[in-house]
Amino acid sequence: MSELDGKRVFVTGSGAGIGKAIAKLFTDRGARVVVSDIDADAAKRAADEIGAAGVANCDVTDEAQVQAAVQQAVDLLGGLDVLVNNAGIEISSPLLQQSTESFDKIYAVNVRGPFVAMKAATPHLVASKGNVVNIASIAGIGGSPLLGSYCATKAALIQLTRVAAVEMRPTGVRVNAVCPGFADTAMVERLVPDFEAATQIPFGDLVAMKQGRLGTPEDIAEVAAFLASDRATWITGSHYVLDGGLTAS
Ligand code: NAD
């Protein structure tokens, strides 16, 4: 019997990167996963490659789309056991030079997105005594130059996780977060030139110094799978750091 046998799972932003790795690992461990992304082509490619149960796309900033996609996933799967709020964006800018529009945009994706998805999924998760895994970041724990608004969104997501967990405890629904360090995805590739310009240190050296190596999307999927599984039934309201020791130093 596999760790996630029979779990019915919906993963936002799972056309690429960490979300795709989560969709794949969960499928490999016996779950039935519905892939979802703002990029419909990426979602279809990922779902075909993984052997996912289906696709239900949404832009997480659009509440009506999120509600429709969650309902589509529930219809496809016959219910919902796990919501993974993975969709997220980065904005690299000195905080006080950032435009107010881009500040609103990153909040809409990284905070409001998980909020509306949790609201849409709640009746289904209550019915199944399911759980939520929110993909936060170590940027939600410590500050990082150039990532000010991103740090603020991830701190907000950790707080949403805590409060939702406490409020949902009587229903049996668990809510947890994972906080990765730098992982090998397109998001980090986009950040490298600005980090190198700001620090004058080759990004590879910075990573080696701070966290040993880049995380892999699979490193993060492993922790998400544990939290989503019945091995973690006493764990709720937690945020799990996986960063090769970056925040320990
Ligand atoms: P990525 O950019 O490689 O992939 C993100 C995916 O989300 C893409 O498929 C994209 O199309 C989708 N997406 C973007 N905006 C969306 C929207 N509005 N609605 C629906 N889907 C949308 O990013 P990643 O590195 O895989 O990051 C995934 C999550 O992990 C994010 O929440 C990110 O903040 C978090 N995270 C990443 C790292 C890292 O080092 N890569 C570290 C910590 C946390």
Side-chain angles (χ1 to χ4, degrees), residues 18 37-38 58-60 86 135-136 150 154 180-181 183 185 188 190:
I18 292 167
D37 206 284
I38 193 172
C58 63
D59 172 350
V60 298
N86 164 79
I135 310 302
Y150 180 81
K154 294 301 185 178
T185 70
V188 164
R190 289 190 294 268

Side-chain angles (χ1 to χ4, degrees), residues 42-221:
K44 181 172 183 330
R45 276 196 307 275
D48 289 348
E49 194 181 312
I50 290 162
V55 176
N57 288 323
C58 63
D59 172 350
V60 298
T61 68
D62 183 324
E63 186 166 15
Q65 280 189 31
V66 173
Q67 284 169 345
V70 167
Q71 190 56 55
Q72 211 182 326
V74 166
D75 293 345
L76 276 162
L77 300 169
L80 189 68
D81 299 295
V82 183
L83 165 67
V84 182
N85 278 312
N86 164 79
I89 59 169
E90 81 291 354
I91 287 168
S92 153
S93 164
L95 179 62
L96 301 178
Q97 292 167 27
Q98 188 184 335
S99 75
T100 307
E101 291 72 24
S102 71
F103 187 87
D104 288 345
K105 171 81 193 290
I106 195 168
Y107 256 81
V109 180
N110 293 7
V111 183
R112 192 174 175 276
F115 166 69
V116 298
M118 284 196 283
K119 283 212 301 181
T122 288
H124 310 292
L125 295 176
V126 168
S128 64
K129 295 201 187 317
N131 69 84
V132 179
V133 181
N134 289 322
I135 310 302
S137 168
I138 57 165
I141 299 167
S144 173
L146 294 179
L147 290 177
S149 59
Y150 180 81
C151 290
T153 63
K154 294 301 185 178
L157 185 54
I158 291 169
Q159 290 295 58
L160 289 187
T161 301
R162 288 184 170 127
V163 176
V166 173
E167 289 184 354
M168 298 286 270
R169 189 165 46 205
T171 69
V173 174
R174 299 182 297 109
V175 187
N176 290 294
V178 298
C179 297
F182 291 111
D184 190 6
T185 70
M187 179 180 282
V188 164
E189 270 174 40
R190 289 190 294 268
L191 290 171
V192 167
D194 286 351
F195 268 75
E196 291 191 334
T199 60
Q200 298 295 306
I201 302 173
F203 189 69
D205 292 355
L206 195 71
V207 165
M209 196 164 61
K210 297 278 192 187
Q211 59 174 47
R213 64 166 171 82
L214 274 181
T216 65
E218 292 73 25
D219 288 327
I220 296 146

